Structures are given as C-alpha cells and as structure tokens.
C-alpha cells in the first residue's frame, strides 16, 4: 500500500516538472513485476524516495521523528542497488532515468554538488546509449517500437534539461 501511495505521489507532484520517463511504459512493466528497460528496482526506489517528500505517511521517513530523513531509506537502497548490480557499467534506459532522478533528489535536499554528479552521469550514460541520435535513423535499422523511440526521446530531453 505504501509503495503504490508513494508512486502516486511521485507521479502527481514530481513527474510533471521533471519528466524523464514514459509513465505508461513504466507502469506496464512495473505491474508485470519484470525488470526491463522501463522499470527496475533501482528506478522504483529513487521514485519512492521522491514520492516521500509529498506525503505525511509514517513510512516516508527513515526516522519518523526527523523530517530530514524523508525518503532516505529508499534512496540508500537505490544507491546500494546501483553498486550491487553494477548499473554504471551495464547501462540501460531505466538506469539513465534513475540517475537523473537521483540528481533532482540530491539537489532538492540541499546537496547540489552530488546532484550535479548524478546529472552528469545520467547525461553521459544517455549519450553512451545513443539517446541523442535522431529517432528516424534508429527506427530504420532496429527493432525498436515507436513507444520505445518515444521513451528514449523523453529520457534524453529530460537528462538534457537536468544537466543544463
């Protein structure tokens, strides 16, 4: 119940201002429960850490008595998953998205330096994946569906804006 509530808070209050992913593709794969290019445990935990900032539910804070711990437990899990799963060397679309959202969260918590680091990693990983390449050029020579091409565009331009 808490996870669904926090995802709703993320999409209601955060997503419209910092769009880096396809909501439809994320939910499709989230509800299937299968990791994919559009949904991973890393990405979900980062989204939960952001959703915590828009609720008063007790589970939103690592320490219920200290507001500065809002979302920390989910963010710590995201960092752990990033390192345990070697996400930085096994790049995929949802890793780019997670790094971009990590940058927003860190900057929003007053740690702008860390935010810039995550933003830079996100943008460089996006370029490594070729997200900056024009979609028609990709579509002609690949098996990507139109929805996948759109998701790549959303992610690239979200990262571009975060990095500026």
């Amino acid at each position: 119940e808490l996870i669904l509530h926090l995802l709703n808070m993320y999409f209601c209050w955060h997503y419209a201002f910092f769009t880096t992913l396809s909501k439809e593709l994320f939910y499709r794969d989230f509800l299937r429960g299968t990791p994919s290019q559009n949904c991973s445990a890393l990405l979900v935990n980062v989204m939960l850490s952001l959703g915590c900032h828009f609720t008063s539910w007790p589970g939103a804070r690592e320490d219920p008595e200290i507001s500065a711990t809002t979302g920390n437990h989910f963010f710590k899990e995201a960092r752990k998953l990033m390192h345990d799963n070697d996400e930085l060397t096994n790049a995929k679309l949802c890793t780019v998205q997670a790094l971009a959202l990590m940058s927003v969260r860190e900057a929003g918590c007053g740690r702008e330096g860390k935010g810039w680091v995550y933003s830079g990693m996100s943008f460089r990983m996006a370029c490594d994946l070729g997200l900056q390449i024009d979609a028609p050029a990709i579509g002609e020579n690949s098996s990507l569906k139109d929805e996948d091409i759109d998701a790549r565009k959303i992610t690239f331009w979200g990262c571009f804006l975060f990095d500026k």
Side-chain angles (χ1 to χ4, degrees), residues 76-155:
K76 285 177 184 175
E77 180 64 17
R79 285 194 325 232
K80 180 182 179 304
L81 289 167
M82 186 170 50
H83 295 292
D84 289 354
N85 298 334
D86 206 17
E87 296 279 352
L88 298 178
T89 58
N90 298 312
K92 53 187 181 249
L93 191 63
C94 59
T95 306
V96 173
Q97 296 162 348
L99 287 166
L101 293 176
M102 289 171 88
S103 76
V104 171
R105 195 229 182 224
E106 287 298 271
C109 290
R111 296 180 288 271
E112 288 188 22
K114 287 183 181 181
W116 282 116
V117 170
Y118 286 123
S119 175
M121 290 176 7
S122 173
F123 190 69
R124 275 54 181 188
M125 189 179 285
C127 291
D128 284 348
L129 289 174
L131 301 187
Q132 78 281 10
I133 297 172
D134 188 33
I138 293 172
E140 295 169 2
N141 299 316
S142 79
S143 61
L144 288 176
K145 298 177 186 172
D146 287 344
E147 64 187 7
D148 297 322
I149 292 171
D150 286 344
R152 291 170 58 91
K153 287 180 187 178
I154 292 167
T155 300

Side-chain angles (χ1 to χ4, degrees), residues 7-22:
L7 286 176
N8 284 333
M9 293 296 96
Y10 166 78
F11 280 111
C12 180
W13 300 106
H14 195 274
Y15 179 75
F17 297 100
F18 300 103
T19 305
T20 60
L21 56 95
S22 166

